[in-house]
Amino acid sequence: GIQVEQSPPDLILQEGANSTLRCNFSDSVNNLQWFHQNPWGQLINLFYIPSGTKQNGRLSATTVATERYSLLYISSSQTTDSGVYFCAVVDGGSQGNLIFGKGTKLSVKP
Amino acid sequence: DTGVSQNPRHKITKRGQNVTFRCDPISEHNRLYWYRQTLGQGPEFLTYFQNEAQLEKSRLLSDRFSAERPKGSFSTLEIQRTEQGDSAMYLCASSPPGSYEQYFGPGTRLTVT
C-alpha cells in the first residue's frame, strides 16, 4: 500500500519563527489533507490540497502531486500552534480511507 | 453545521466487557469512516460506510469488532470481549457527496483495565 512519510518528526521553535513541514508519499493520490491535532486529540482540518497551493492566514500549503510531496508552511509561529501536524492521503485505488503519516510534533516556546 | 459528534468521549472498561461507541456525522454527509489511533501514531483506518452500506473493512477490524450505520445516519462501533490492546482513541469522520475531504469528530478514548 501507499506509504506516507513526514519530516521532521519533532520540531521546537521560538515564538515568531517560521517553519516548513514536509510530507512525502509513495504513489498517486486522490486527496491530501493536513490536520492539526490539539492536546485533547481533536483533528482540525487545515487544508484539503491534492494539488496546488493554498493559504489561510499564517499557514500555507503546497502539493506537487507529480513529485509526490506536500509542504506545510507556518509563519510567525505562536504557542497555540503547538501540537501534532498530520498529513494524510487517499490512495488512488481506495474507497476514500485516509492513510496517515506519523506526524510532526511541534512545540512553540514563548 | 454542528460538526461530527462522538459519544462517549471517554470510556473505561474492564477486560472482557463489551463497549459501544456512537458517531453522528455532519448532516447530509453520506460517507462515514472509523479510525483508531494509538499513542504516538497516526490514525489507522478501520471501516467505511457509504450511506447504510459497509463497503470496506481493514484487517485491523477483528471478529470482535462490528460496526453498523442503520438508515445511513449515525453509526455505532461495538467491541466485544475487550482486550488491553484495544485501548486507543477511536475517531469517526464523515465526508459529503462528491468530495474526499474528511471531517473528524472529537474521538472516544477507550481504556481497558
Coordinates of all heavy atoms in Angstrom, one line a residue, chain A residues 30-31 33 35 37 39-45 47-48 86 90-92 94-103, chain B residues 4 9 31 33 35 37 40-45 48 50 55-56 89 91 99-107 109:
Chain A
N30 N -5.6 10.7 -4.6 CA -6.8 11.4 -4.9 C -7.1 12.6 -4.0 O -7.9 13.4 -4.3 CB -8.0 10.5 -4.9 CG -8.1 9.5 -6.1 OD1 -7.5 9.9 -7.1 ND2 -8.7 8.4 -5.9
N31 N -6.4 12.6 -2.8 CA -6.7 13.6 -1.8 C -5.5 13.7 -1.0 O -4.8 12.7 -0.7 CB -7.9 13.1 -1.0 CG -8.2 14.0 0.2 OD1 -7.8 15.2 0.2 ND2 -8.8 13.5 1.2
Q33 N -4.7 15.8 2.8 CA -5.2 16.7 3.8 C -4.1 16.9 4.8 O -3.4 16.0 5.2 CB -6.5 16.2 4.5 CG -7.7 16.2 3.6 CD -9.0 15.8 4.4 OE1 -9.6 14.8 4.1 NE2 -9.4 16.7 5.3
F35 N -3.8 18.1 8.9 CA -4.5 18.3 10.1 C -3.6 18.8 11.2 O -2.4 18.4 11.2 CB -5.1 17.0 10.5 CG -6.1 16.3 9.6 CD1 -5.7 15.4 8.7 CD2 -7.5 16.7 9.7 CE1 -6.6 14.8 7.8 CE2 -8.4 16.1 8.9 CZ -8.0 15.1 7.9
Q37 N -3.6 18.2 15.3 CA -4.2 17.5 16.4 C -3.9 18.3 17.7 O -2.7 18.4 18.1 CB -3.8 16.1 16.5 CG -4.6 15.3 17.5 CD -4.4 13.8 17.3 OE1 -3.3 13.3 17.1 NE2 -5.5 13.1 17.4
P39 N -4.2 19.2 21.9 CA -3.8 18.3 23.1 C -5.0 17.4 23.5 O -4.7 16.4 24.2 CB -3.5 19.3 24.1 CG -3.0 20.5 23.4 CD -3.8 20.6 22.2
W40 N -6.2 17.7 23.1 CA -7.3 16.9 23.5 C -7.6 15.8 22.5 O -8.6 15.0 22.6 CB -8.6 17.8 23.7 CG -8.3 18.7 24.8 CD1 -8.6 18.5 26.2 CD2 -7.8 20.0 24.7 NE1 -8.2 19.7 26.9 CE2 -7.7 20.6 26.0 CE3 -7.3 20.8 23.6 CZ2 -7.2 21.9 26.3 CZ3 -6.9 22.1 23.9 CH2 -6.8 22.6 25.2
G41 N -6.8 15.8 21.4 CA -7.0 14.7 20.4 C -7.8 15.1 19.2 O -7.9 14.3 18.3
Q42 N -8.4 16.2 19.2 CA -9.3 16.6 18.1 C -8.4 16.9 16.8 O -7.4 17.7 16.9 CB -10.1 17.9 18.4 CG -10.8 18.5 17.3 CD -12.1 17.8 17.0 OE1 -13.0 17.7 17.9 NE2 -12.3 17.4 15.7
L43 N -8.8 16.3 15.7 CA -8.1 16.6 14.5 C -8.8 17.8 13.8 O -10.0 17.7 13.4 CB -8.2 15.4 13.5 CG -7.2 14.3 13.9 CD1 -7.6 13.0 13.1 CD2 -5.8 14.7 13.5
I44 N -8.1 18.8 13.6 CA -8.6 20.1 13.0 C -8.1 20.2 11.5 O -6.9 20.1 11.3 CB -8.1 21.3 13.8 CG1 -8.7 21.2 15.2 CG2 -8.6 22.6 13.1 CD1 -8.0 22.1 16.2
N45 N -9.1 20.3 10.6 CA -8.7 20.4 9.2 C -8.0 21.7 8.9 O -8.5 22.8 9.3 CB -10.0 20.4 8.4 CG -10.6 19.1 8.3 OD1 -10.7 18.3 9.3 ND2 -11.2 18.7 7.1
F47 N -5.9 22.0 5.6 CA -6.0 22.1 4.2 C -6.5 20.8 3.5 O -6.1 19.8 4.0 CB -4.6 22.5 3.6 CG -4.2 23.9 3.9 CD1 -3.2 24.0 4.9 CD2 -4.7 25.0 3.3 CE1 -2.7 25.3 5.3 CE2 -4.2 26.3 3.7 CZ -3.3 26.4 4.7
Y48 N -7.3 21.0 2.5 CA -7.6 19.9 1.6 C -6.9 20.3 0.3 O -7.3 21.2 -0.4 CB -9.1 19.8 1.4 CG -9.5 18.8 0.3 CD1 -9.3 17.5 0.4 CD2 -10.1 19.3 -0.9 CE1 -9.7 16.6 -0.6 CE2 -10.5 18.5 -1.9 CZ -10.3 17.1 -1.8 OH -10.7 16.3 -2.8
F86 N -0.5 16.3 11.1 CA -0.5 15.1 10.3 C -0.8 15.4 8.9 O -1.7 16.3 8.6 CB -1.7 14.2 10.8 CG -1.3 13.5 12.1 CD1 -1.9 13.9 13.3 CD2 -0.5 12.4 12.1 CE1 -1.6 13.2 14.5 CE2 -0.2 11.7 13.3 CZ -0.8 12.1 14.5
V90 N -5.4 9.9 0.4 CA -6.3 8.8 -0.1 C -5.6 8.1 -1.3 O -5.3 8.8 -2.3 CB -7.7 9.4 -0.5 CG1 -8.5 8.3 -1.2 CG2 -8.4 10.0 0.7
D91 N -5.4 6.8 -1.1 CA -4.9 6.0 -2.2 C -5.8 6.1 -3.4 O -7.0 6.0 -3.3 CB -4.8 4.6 -1.6 CG -4.1 3.7 -2.6 OD1 -4.2 3.9 -3.8 OD2 -3.4 2.7 -2.1
G92 N -5.1 6.3 -4.6 CA -5.9 6.4 -5.8 C -6.9 5.2 -6.1 O -7.9 5.4 -6.7
S94 N -8.5 3.4 -3.6 CA -9.2 3.0 -2.4 C -10.6 3.6 -2.5 O -11.0 4.4 -3.4 CB -8.5 3.5 -1.2 OG -8.8 4.8 -0.9
Q95 N -11.4 3.3 -1.4 CA -12.7 3.9 -1.3 C -12.7 5.3 -0.6 O -13.8 5.8 -0.3 CB -13.6 2.9 -0.4 CG -13.7 1.5 -1.0 CD -15.0 1.5 -1.9 OE1 -15.5 2.5 -2.2 NE2 -15.3 0.3 -2.3
G96 N -11.6 5.8 -0.3 CA -11.5 7.1 0.3 C -10.9 7.1 1.7 O -10.8 8.2 2.2
N97 N -10.5 6.0 2.2 CA -10.0 6.0 3.5 C -8.6 6.7 3.5 O -7.8 6.5 2.6 CB -9.9 4.6 4.1 CG -9.3 3.6 3.2 OD1 -9.9 3.2 2.2 ND2 -8.0 3.2 3.4
L98 N -8.4 7.5 4.5 CA -7.1 8.2 4.7 C -6.0 7.3 5.2 O -6.2 6.5 6.1 CB -7.3 9.4 5.6 CG -8.1 10.6 5.0 CD1 -8.5 11.6 6.1 CD2 -7.4 11.3 3.9
I99 N -4.8 7.5 4.7 CA -3.6 6.9 5.2 C -2.8 8.0 5.8 O -2.4 9.0 5.0 CB -2.9 6.2 4.1 CG1 -3.8 5.1 3.5 CG2 -1.6 5.6 4.6 CD1 -3.3 4.5 2.2
F100 N -2.5 7.9 7.1 CA -1.8 9.0 7.8 C -0.3 8.7 7.9 O 0.2 7.6 8.0 CB -2.3 9.1 9.2 CG -3.7 9.8 9.3 CD1 -4.8 9.1 8.9 CD2 -3.8 11.1 9.7 CE1 -6.1 9.8 9.0 CE2 -5.0 11.8 9.8 CZ -6.1 11.1 9.5
G101 N 0.5 9.8 7.9 CA 1.9 9.7 8.3 C 1.9 9.7 9.8 O 0.9 9.7 10.5
K102 N 3.1 9.6 10.3 CA 3.3 9.5 11.8 C 3.3 10.9 12.5 O 3.3 11.0 13.7 CB 4.6 8.8 12.1 CG 4.6 7.4 11.7 CD 5.8 6.6 12.3 CE 5.6 5.1 12.0 NZ 6.7 4.3 12.6
G103 N 3.2 11.9 11.7 CA 3.1 13.3 12.3 C 4.4 14.0 12.6 O 5.5 13.4 12.7
Chain B
V4 N -19.0 16.8 13.4 CA -19.2 15.4 13.8 C -19.1 15.3 15.3 O -18.3 15.9 16.0 CB -18.0 14.6 13.2 CG1 -18.2 13.1 13.6 CG2 -18.0 14.7 11.6
R9 N -17.1 10.4 25.3 CA -15.8 11.0 25.0 C -14.7 10.1 25.6 O -13.6 10.0 25.1 CB -15.7 12.4 25.5 CG -16.6 13.4 24.8 CD -16.2 13.6 23.3 NE -14.9 14.0 23.2 CZ -14.4 15.3 23.4 NH1 -15.3 16.2 23.6 NH2 -13.2 15.6 23.3
R31 N -20.8 9.7 3.5 CA -19.7 8.7 3.8 C -19.3 8.9 5.2 O -19.1 10.0 5.7 CB -18.6 8.9 2.8 CG -18.9 8.2 1.5 CD -17.8 8.4 0.5 NE -17.8 9.7 -0.1 CZ -16.9 10.1 -1.0 NH1 -15.8 9.3 -1.3 NH2 -17.0 11.3 -1.5
Y33 N -16.5 7.2 8.2 CA -15.3 6.4 8.4 C -15.0 6.2 9.9 O -15.2 7.2 10.7 CB -14.1 7.0 7.8 CG -14.2 7.3 6.3 CD1 -14.9 8.4 5.8 CD2 -13.6 6.5 5.4 CE1 -15.0 8.7 4.5 CE2 -13.7 6.7 4.0 CZ -14.4 7.9 3.6 OH -14.5 8.1 2.2
Y35 N -11.7 5.2 12.5 CA -10.3 5.1 12.6 C -9.9 4.8 14.1 O -10.6 5.1 15.0 CB -9.5 6.4 12.2 CG -9.7 6.8 10.7 CD1 -10.8 7.5 10.3 CD2 -8.7 6.4 9.8 CE1 -11.0 7.8 9.0 CE2 -8.8 6.8 8.5 CZ -10.0 7.5 8.1 OH -10.1 7.9 6.7
Q37 N -6.5 5.3 16.8 CA -5.2 5.9 17.0 C -4.6 5.5 18.3 O -5.3 5.7 19.4 CB -5.4 7.5 16.9 CG -4.0 8.2 17.0 CD -4.2 9.7 16.9 OE1 -5.2 10.2 17.2 NE2 -3.1 10.4 16.5
G40 N 1.2 8.0 20.0 CA 2.4 8.3 19.2 C 2.3 7.9 17.7 O 3.3 8.1 17.0
Q41 N 1.1 7.5 17.3 CA 0.9 7.1 15.9 C -0.1 7.9 15.3 O -0.9 8.6 15.9 CB 0.5 5.6 15.9 CG 1.5 4.6 16.5 CD 2.8 4.6 15.8 OE1 2.9 4.6 14.6 NE2 3.9 4.6 16.6
G42 N -0.2 7.9 13.9 CA -1.3 8.5 13.2 C -2.5 7.6 13.2 O -2.4 6.4 13.5
P43 N -3.7 8.1 13.0 CA -4.9 7.3 12.9 C -4.8 6.2 11.9 O -4.1 6.4 10.8 CB -6.0 8.3 12.6 CG -5.5 9.6 13.1 CD -4.0 9.5 12.9
E44 N -5.4 5.0 12.1 CA -5.4 3.9 11.2 C -6.8 3.6 10.8 O -7.7 3.5 11.7 CB -4.7 2.7 11.8 CG -3.2 2.9 12.0 CD -2.7 1.7 12.8 OE1 -3.0 1.5 13.9 OE2 -1.9 0.9 12.2
F45 N -7.1 3.4 9.6 CA -8.4 3.1 9.1 C -9.0 1.8 9.6 O -8.3 0.8 9.6 CB -8.4 3.1 7.5 CG -9.6 2.5 6.9 CD1 -10.8 3.3 6.9 CD2 -9.6 1.3 6.3 CE1 -11.9 2.8 6.2 CE2 -10.7 0.8 5.7 CZ -11.9 1.6 5.6
Y48 N -15.5 1.7 6.6 CA -16.1 2.8 5.8 C -17.5 2.4 5.4 O -17.8 1.3 5.0 CB -15.2 3.0 4.6 CG -15.9 3.6 3.4 CD1 -16.3 4.9 3.5 CD2 -16.0 2.9 2.2 CE1 -16.9 5.5 2.3 CE2 -16.6 3.5 1.1 CZ -17.0 4.8 1.2 OH -17.6 5.4 0.1
Q50 N -20.8 3.9 3.0 CA -21.5 4.8 2.2 C -23.0 4.7 2.3 O -23.5 3.6 2.0 CB -21.1 4.6 0.7 CG -21.7 5.7 -0.2 CD -21.0 5.8 -1.6 OE1 -19.8 5.9 -1.6 NE2 -21.7 5.8 -2.6
L55 N -18.8 -0.7 3.1 CA -18.1 -1.1 1.9 C -16.7 -1.5 2.0 O -16.1 -2.1 1.1 CB -18.2 0.1 0.9 CG -19.6 0.5 0.4 CD1 -19.5 1.6 -0.6 CD2 -20.4 -0.7 -0.1
E56 N -16.1 -1.2 3.1 CA -14.7 -1.6 3.3 C -14.4 -1.8 4.8 O -14.8 -1.1 5.6 CB -13.7 -0.6 2.7 CG -12.3 -1.0 2.6 CD -11.4 -0.1 1.7 OE1 -12.0 0.8 1.1 OE2 -10.2 -0.3 1.7
M89 N -7.6 5.7 21.0 CA -8.6 6.7 20.7 C -9.4 6.2 19.4 O -8.7 5.9 18.4 CB -8.0 8.1 20.4 CG -8.9 9.1 19.9 SD -9.8 9.9 21.2 CE -8.8 11.2 21.6
L91 N -11.7 7.3 16.4 CA -12.1 8.5 15.7 C -13.1 8.2 14.6 O -13.0 7.2 13.9 CB -10.9 9.2 15.1 CG -9.9 9.7 16.1 CD1 -8.5 9.9 15.4 CD2 -10.4 11.0 16.7
S99 N -16.9 14.5 -2.6 CA -15.7 15.1 -2.1 C -15.0 14.0 -1.2 O -15.6 13.2 -0.6 CB -16.0 16.3 -1.2 OG -14.8 16.7 -0.5
Y100 N -13.7 14.0 -1.3 CA -12.9 13.1 -0.5 C -12.5 13.8 0.9 O -11.9 13.1 1.7 CB -11.6 12.7 -1.2 CG -11.7 11.6 -2.2 CD1 -11.5 11.9 -3.6 CD2 -12.1 10.3 -1.9 CE1 -11.6 11.0 -4.5 CE2 -12.2 9.4 -2.9 CZ -12.0 9.7 -4.2 OH -12.1 8.7 -5.2
E101 N -12.8 15.1 1.0 CA -12.4 15.7 2.3 C -13.1 15.2 3.5 O -14.4 15.1 3.5 CB -12.6 17.3 2.1 CG -12.0 18.0 3.3 CD -12.1 19.5 3.1 OE1 -12.6 20.0 2.1 OE2 -11.5 20.2 4.0
Q102 N -12.4 14.8 4.5 CA -13.0 14.2 5.7 C -12.9 15.2 6.9 O -11.9 15.9 7.0 CB -12.3 12.9 6.0 CG -12.5 11.9 4.9 CD -11.9 10.5 5.3 OE1 -11.8 10.1 6.4 NE2 -11.6 9.8 4.2
Y103 N -14.0 15.1 7.7 CA -14.1 16.0 8.9 C -14.2 15.0 10.1 O -15.1 14.1 10.1 CB -15.3 16.9 8.8 CG -15.3 17.8 7.6 CD1 -15.6 17.4 6.3 CD2 -14.8 19.2 7.8 CE1 -15.5 18.3 5.2 CE2 -14.8 20.0 6.7 CZ -15.1 19.6 5.5 OH -15.1 20.5 4.4
F104 N -13.4 15.3 11.1 CA -13.3 14.3 12.2 C -14.1 14.8 13.4 O -14.2 16.0 13.7 CB -11.8 14.1 12.6 CG -11.1 13.2 11.7 CD1 -10.7 13.5 10.4 CD2 -10.9 11.8 12.1 CE1 -10.0 12.7 9.6 CE2 -10.3 10.9 11.3 CZ -9.8 11.3 10.0
G105 N -14.6 13.9 14.2 CA -15.2 14.1 15.5 C -14.1 14.2 16.5 O -12.9 14.0 16.2
P106 N -14.5 14.5 17.8 CA -13.5 14.6 18.9 C -12.9 13.3 19.4 O -11.9 13.3 20.1 CB -14.3 15.3 20.0 CG -15.7 14.9 19.7 CD -15.8 14.8 18.2
G107 N -13.5 12.2 19.0 CA -13.0 10.9 19.4 C -13.5 10.4 20.7 O -14.1 11.1 21.5
R109 N -12.0 8.1 23.8 CA -10.8 7.5 24.3 C -11.2 6.3 25.2 O -11.9 6.4 26.2 CB -10.0 8.5 25.1 CG -8.7 7.9 25.5 CD -7.8 9.0 26.2 NE -7.5 10.1 25.4 CZ -6.5 10.2 24.5 NH1 -5.8 9.1 24.3 NH2 -6.3 11.3 23.8

